[in-house]
C-alpha cells in the first residue's frame, strides 16, 4: 500500500517510514493502547518501538508488542479467505476471494434461517480483543439473531464485575485512580497518590487488565503507594507488598465480609458518605456480624491478625484503592465478593475521590450504537427469544445470551435448534474462554455451517470452520482504543494503519462487508474511517482526523460527581440506582432471586463442600494466571516468545511435589472426575502446599493440525477439569479459580495420545461419573 506521507503521524519515505499508533488487537490484549512506533521498510514491518510521547505508556512496551513483526509476517499466518475442501477436522483448505466467501456465507445463512428461524445463528466472541465491541452488532444488525455469546461459563471475565457495579452503583467500572485522566499525570495539583493499593485476585503487571496499564502500579509505588497483595501465590508484586494474604482460592467473599465487620464494628467508616450516599448500611452491619475475623481466618486458611492488619491499613489510610480482578468473576460466589468489595470502597469514602476509585458512566464511545443495533431484531427477539431466560439478572445487565444455557440449547435443541456459528476472534476449544471444552466440542458438531475469523489456523477453526476469514493485526487497520471498553475512559487512542498484509480485514471491516450484503440500512458506512469518524463526532467535539493527528485524547475528570449530578442521566446529585445511592443492599437483586446482601458460600467443589470427592482429589486447582509472552491462546507460533515459555507449567509446592515423587521440569498430569491435562512441573515454595496453579490457553501449532491431534488441543487443556453451570443466581461466575484435583508424574506430553485420553472413537471417556455433576 502507499502510505500518506502528509499525515502528521507518518514520517519517512514511501519505502521506509514510521507510523505512530496505539496498540490494541489483534494480537490480543486488553484495550491498554500503549504508544507504538511502527517501522515499515519495503512493505514489511521490521521494528516496533515504544512512543515516548504517549501520555500513559511513555515509551514502555511489553515483549508481545516488541515481537509484533514476527507475528505479522509469520509463515503460518492466513492472509486470504479460505474454504474447507475436506471433511471438518482434516485441515484441508482452498483459497477463495472475499466475494466468494461473502456469497457463500449469505446463501447458506439464509437457507438455514429459512429452515430454522433467524435465531438459529449464534455469534461467538473471544475475550479482550477489539472484536468484543462488534460481536453483538454483528449478531443483531447483520444476521438478525439475538444470540451473541461469550462462551465462558457465567461470562466470567469482566462482565460480572461491571454488571455488579452497574446494579449497585449505577456507574461504569470503578478503577484505581492512577492519574490517567491528566496530561500532567502524577504532578496534577488535584491528584493524590493512593496510600495503599489492594491488588485483589489480580496481577496487573502481567495482565494490564481491562485497559489499566499495569506499570502504573510501579509508578505509584515509586511515589509512596504501598501494596496489599491478595493472591494464593507469591508473585513479584506480592514479594514487594507491605502485606500479602495467601487466602484459599474461592474464599474472597469471606475475607471481604470480615474486613467490613472490623471497619463497621470499630467505627472506621466514613460517616458522612454513609449517611448521605449509601443505602442499606444497617442491614449490612447486621449481615457482617456472622463473619468474625476468627471464623474467616479458618475459612481462608490465613492468620487472624493478618485480617486486622490489612483492614486497618486500608481503612485508616485515606485515600486508598482496590484493584479487583478475575477472582471476582471466576468463582461462583465471586459476585458476592464483588458486592462486599464495592461496599468496602463506598463506606471508607474512597469512591470518586483523588487517589481512590475513579468512576465513569456505564459506557461512552460506541456504547449507544452497540445497544441500538438491537433495533434490527424482530420484535420480541431480544427480550423473549435470547437464550438464558432462566437468568433474568444476567439478561438485564448483558446484551448477550447466557453461555451455560446456550450450551444446553446446543445439546438439546431447546427452546430451539442452533445450526450456524460465527466464531469472531475466538479460539475457545482451547483452554481459554470456556469450561468443559470437550462438551462444547461435541455439542458444536450439530452446527451445519460455521465461519471463523482469525489470523492463524487454530484448533477451533480446523475442527469447525467451513469458511475462514483473515483478520488484520492492529498494525494493519484503523481503529480506536477504548480502555475499559468505554466504562472508565481515561483516554482514547488512535490505531493508525501502517501496512497491508494480503487481503486481511479488521473486525469492523468484516462487519461492514457482511452488513452491506445482509442489512445495508444498518451499515451505511463504506469504510472503517467513515464509521469511526461518525461515532466519534456523536460522542465528542472532534472526529477521526483529529484523534489520528493527536494520537491520544484525554477527557476531563471531575471528582465527587455524585455531589454535582455527574453520575445521573437526569443531572441530579446521587447515583443512577433505584434509591439514588450506593446500594450496599441491592433493591433489584431480589427480583432476580438473589440475596440483596453479600454472603459467603463454599465453592461447589472444596474439601468442605465435597469431602468424599476431596479424599481422592485433595488439592485445590486454580488456573488463569497471565504470562507476558502470550495472551490466552495466542502467540504460540512465535519462536522468540516460545523460547521464554516453551510449555505450560503447573506450580506445585516443594513439599507437595516431593510427596508425589515430582521434580522440577517433570511432566505432570492434573486430573479430577471431569478430565485431565498434562503440564510441566514448576516446583516452588511460593505456592501453599494444598494448592496448585495450572497454565491455561495451551495448544501446539508445531504439531499435526488435523484431527484427532488438532494441534495437540486436548493434551494440556486444563479447562477439561472444569464443569459448566457453577454460577450464581444472577447467572454469573465460574469455577476456574476453585476446583479440586490430584496430580501424578507422567513420562511425556503424549502420555495419553493425540486426544489426551479424553476421547475414543468420538466418545468422551468421562461420561458416567461426570454427567451428574456437569450441570452444577
Amino acid at each position: 500500500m502507499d502510505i500518506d506521507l502528509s499525515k502528521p503521524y507518518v514520517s519517512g519515505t514511501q519505502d521506509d517510514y514510521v507510523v505512530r499508533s496505539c496498540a490494541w488487537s489483534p494480537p490480543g490484549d486488553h484495550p491498554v493502547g500503549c504508544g507504538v512506533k511502527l517501522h515499515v521498510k519495503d512493505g514489511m514491518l521490521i521494528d516496533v518501538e515504544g512512543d515516548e510521547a504517549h501520555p500513559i505508556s511513555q515509551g514502555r512496551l511489553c515483549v508481545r508488542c516488541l515481537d509484533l513483526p514476527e507475528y505479522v509476517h509469520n509463515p503460518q499466518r492466513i492472509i486470504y479467505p479460505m474454504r474447507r475442501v475436506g471433511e471438518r477436522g482434516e485441515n484441508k483448505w482452498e483459497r477463495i476471494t472475499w466475494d466468494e466467501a461473502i456469497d457463500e456465507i449469505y446463501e447458506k445463512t439464509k437457507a438455514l434461517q429459512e429452515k430454522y428461524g433467524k435465531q438459529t445463528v449464534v455469534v461467538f466472541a473471544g475475550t479482550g480483543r477489539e472484536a468484543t465491541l462488534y460481536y453483538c452488532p454483528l449478531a443483531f444488525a447483520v444476521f438478525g439473531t439475538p444470540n451473541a455469546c461469550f462462551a465462558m461459563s457465567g461470562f466470567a471475565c469482566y462482565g460480572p464485575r461491571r454488571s455488579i457495579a452497574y446494579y449497585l452503583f449505577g456507574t461504569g467500572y470503578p478503577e484505581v485512580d492512577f492519574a490517567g485522566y491528566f496530561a500532567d499525570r502524577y504532578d496534577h495539583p488535584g491528584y493524590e497518590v493512593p496510600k495503599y493499593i489492594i491488588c485483589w485476585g489480580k496481577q496487573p503487571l502481567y495482565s494490564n487488565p481491562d485497559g489499566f496499564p499495569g506499570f502504573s502500579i510501579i509508578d505509584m509505588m515509586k511515589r509512596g503507594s504501598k501494596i496489599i497483595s491478595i493472591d494464593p501465590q507469591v508473585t513479584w508484586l506480592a514479594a514487594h507488598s507491605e502485606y500479602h494474604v495467601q487466602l484459599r482460592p474461592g474464599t474472597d467473599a469471606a475475607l471481604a465480609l470480615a474486613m467490613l465487620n472490623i471497619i463497621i464494628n470499630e467505627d472506621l467508616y466514613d460517616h458522612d458518605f454513609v449517611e448521605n450516599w449509601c443505602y442499606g448500611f444497617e442491614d449490612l452491619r447486621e449481615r457482617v456480624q456472622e463473619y468474625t475475623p476468627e471464623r474467616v481466618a479458618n475459612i481462608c486458611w490465613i492468620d487472624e491478625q493478618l485480617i486486622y492488619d490489612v483492614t486497618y491499613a486500608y481503612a485508616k489510610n485515606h485515600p486508598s484503592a482496590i484493584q479487583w480482578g478475575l477472582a471476582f468473576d471466576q468463582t461462583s460466589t465471586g459476585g458476592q465478593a464483588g458486592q462486599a468489595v464495592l461496599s468496602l470502597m463506598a463506606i471508607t469514602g474512597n469512591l470518586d475521590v483523588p487517589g481512590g476509585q475513579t468512576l465513569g458512566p456505564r459506557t461512552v464511545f460506541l456504547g449507544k450504537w452497540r445497544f441500538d443495533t438491537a433495533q434490527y431484531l424482530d420484535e420480541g427477539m431480544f427480550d423473549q427469544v435470547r437464550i438464558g431466560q432462566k437468568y433474568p439478572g444476567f439478561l438485564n445487565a448483558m446484551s448477550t445470551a447466557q453461555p451455560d444455557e446456550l450450551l444446553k440449547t446446543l445439546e438439546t435443541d431447546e427452546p430451539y435448534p442452533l445450526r450456524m456459528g460465527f466464531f469472531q476472534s475466538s479460539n475457545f476449544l482451547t483452554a481459554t474462554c470456556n469450561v468443559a471444552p470437550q462438551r462444547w466440542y461435541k455439542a458444536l458438531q450439530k452446527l451445519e455451517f460455521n465461519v471463523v475469523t482469525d489470523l492463524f489456523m487454530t484448533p477451533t477453526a480446523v475442527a469447525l470452520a467451513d469458511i475462514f476469514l483473515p483478520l488484520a493485526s492492529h498494525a494493519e487497520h484503523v481503529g480506536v482504543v477504548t480502555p475499559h471498553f468505554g466504562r472508565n475512559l481515561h483516554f482514547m487512542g488512535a490505531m493508525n494503519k501502517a501496512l497491508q498484509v494480503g487481503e486481511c480485514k479488521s473486525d469492523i471491516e468484516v462487519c461492514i462487508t457482511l452488513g452491506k450484503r445482509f442489512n445495508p440500512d444498518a451499515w451505511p458506512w463504506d469504510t472503517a474511517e467513515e464509521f469511526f469518524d461518525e461515532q466519534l463526532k456523536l460522542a465528542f467535539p472532534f472526529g477521526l482526523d483529529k484523534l489520528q493527528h493527536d494520537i491520544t485524547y484525554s477527557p476531563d475528570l471531575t471528582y465527587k460527581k455524585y455531589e454535582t449530578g455527574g453520575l445521573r442521566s437526569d443531572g441530579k446529585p446521587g447515583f443512577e440506582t433505584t434509591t439514588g445511592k450506593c446500594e450496599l443492599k441491592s433493591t433489584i437483586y431480589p427480583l432476580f432471586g438473589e440475596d440483596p446482601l453479600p454472603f459467603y458460600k463454599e465453592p461447589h467443589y472444596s474439601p468442605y463442600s465435597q469431602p468424599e470427592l476431596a479424599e481422592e482429589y485433595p488439592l485445590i486447582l486454580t488456573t488463569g494466571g497471565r504470562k507476558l509472552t502470550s495472551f490466552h491462546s495466542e502467540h504460540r507460533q512465535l519462536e522468540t516468545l516460545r523460547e521464554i515459555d516453551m510449555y505450560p507449567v503447573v506450580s506445585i509446592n516443594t513439599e507437595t511435589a516431593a510427596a508425589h515423587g515430582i521434580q522440577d521440569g517433570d511432566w505432570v498430569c492434573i486430573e479430577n472426575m471431569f478430565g485431565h491435562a498434562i503440564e510441566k512441573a514448576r516446583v516452588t515454595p511460593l505456592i501453599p502446599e494444598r494448592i496448585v496453579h495450572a497454565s491455561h490457553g495451551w495448544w501446539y501449532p508445531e504439531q499435526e493440525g488435523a484431527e484427532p491431534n488438532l494441534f495437540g488441543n486436548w493434551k494440556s487443556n486444563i479447562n477439561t477439569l472444569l464443569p459448566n453451570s457453577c454460577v450464581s443466581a444472577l447467572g454469573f461466575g465460574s469455577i476456574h479459580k476453585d476446583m479440586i484435583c490430584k496430580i501424578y508424574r507422567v513420562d511425556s506430553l503424549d502420555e495419553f495420545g493425540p486426544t489426551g485420553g479424553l476421547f475414543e472413537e468420538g466418545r468422551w471417556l468421562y461420561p458416567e461419573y461426570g454427567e451428574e455433576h456437569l450441570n452444577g
Side-chain angles (χ1 to χ4, degrees), residues 189-200:
Y191 177 73
E192 184 175 352
V193 173
K195 291 183 171 61
Y196 276 88
I197 303 170
I198 301 180
C199 291
W200 198 323

Side-chain angles (χ1 to χ4, degrees), residues 573 606 626:
S606 82
R626 302 302 161 81

